[in-house]
Amino acid sequence: MTDLNDILNQDEAMNNEELMRYLEGNASETERFAIEKQMASSNFVNDAVEGLQSFSTPHQMKQYAEQLNRQLHQQTSTSQRRRNKRELKDQRWTLIAIIVILALCLLGYAAIHLYNKKHHTDFLNPMESIR
C-alpha cells in the first residue's frame, strides 16, 4: 500500500447507505451484487456484514455505532491529555539550571587549574618562593 493511512483500497470503498439498504433487503440488484462481490473478495468486509446482520433492528445498530464513537472519542481525548501532561511545558528554568551548572563547572576548572599552576611553579623554584 502506498498510503498507510488508507487501510481500505479505493475499489473496496463501501457506502454506508448502500450497506444499510443491503442489510434491510431494499438494495437494488447492482448494489447487492457489488456488496456480495466485496464480501467474497475481502474477509474484513465479509466479517463486517455478518456482524451487522446480527443486529435485530437498524436503530439498535445506529445506537451501537454511536456508543462506539463516544468510546473512541473518550479514549483519544484521554490519550491526548496524557501525552500533553508528559510534555515539558516550560523549559526556561531547565535551561537556566543547565547554564548555571556549566558555569560553575567552568569556574571550578579554572580555579583548580590556577591553583595547580601556582603550586607547580613553587615546587620547581623553591628558592624564589622563600624570597
Side-chain angles (χ1 to χ4, degrees), residues 79-94:
S79 65
Q80 189 175 20
R81 275 188 261 132
R82 281 188 203 140
R83 189 172 41 245
N84 289 340
K85 282 183 181 179
R86 286 187 300 209
E87 287 181 2
L88 294 175
K89 298 290 183 197
D90 191 13
Q91 296 181 1
R92 184 176 359 157
W93 290 108
T94 306

Side-chain angles (χ1 to χ4, degrees), residues 14 46 48 54 75 89 118 131:
M14 187 177 298
N46 188 28
S54 68
Q75 286 177 349
K89 298 290 183 197
K118 181 180 181 218
R131 292 188 217 175

Side-chain angles (χ1 to χ4, degrees), residues 6-9 24 27 35 39 42-44 61 77-78 80-82 84 91-92 96 105-106 119 121 127-128:
D6 184 20
I7 61 173
L8 294 175
N9 294 332
E24 293 171 354
I35 291 173
M39 288 173 59
S42 172
N43 290 334
F44 178 74
M61 186 176 5
S77 65
T78 302
Q80 189 175 20
R81 275 188 261 132
R82 281 188 203 140
N84 289 340
Q91 296 181 1
R92 184 176 359 157
I96 290 172
C105 289
L106 288 173
H119 284 287
T121 57
M127 296 307 269
E128 285 185 20

Side-chain angles (χ1 to χ4, degrees), residues 1 10 18 25-26 32 36 41 45-46 50-51 72 79 88 97 105 111 118 120 131:
M1 263 191 275
Q10 292 298 327
E18 291 175 1
N26 299 332
R32 202 171 13 182
E36 289 172 356
S41 66
V45 174
N46 188 28
E50 287 178 5
L72 179 64
S79 65
L88 294 175
C105 289
K118 181 180 181 218
H120 184 66
R131 292 188 217 175

Side-chain angles (χ1 to χ4, degrees), residues 54-72:
S54 68
F55 288 103
S56 58
T57 62
H59 180 265
Q60 185 183 20
M61 186 176 5
K62 288 179 183 178
Q63 198 174 28
Y64 186 69
E66 288 173 3
Q67 178 186 1
L68 287 176
N69 284 331
R70 277 193 306 271
Q71 287 176 350
L72 179 64

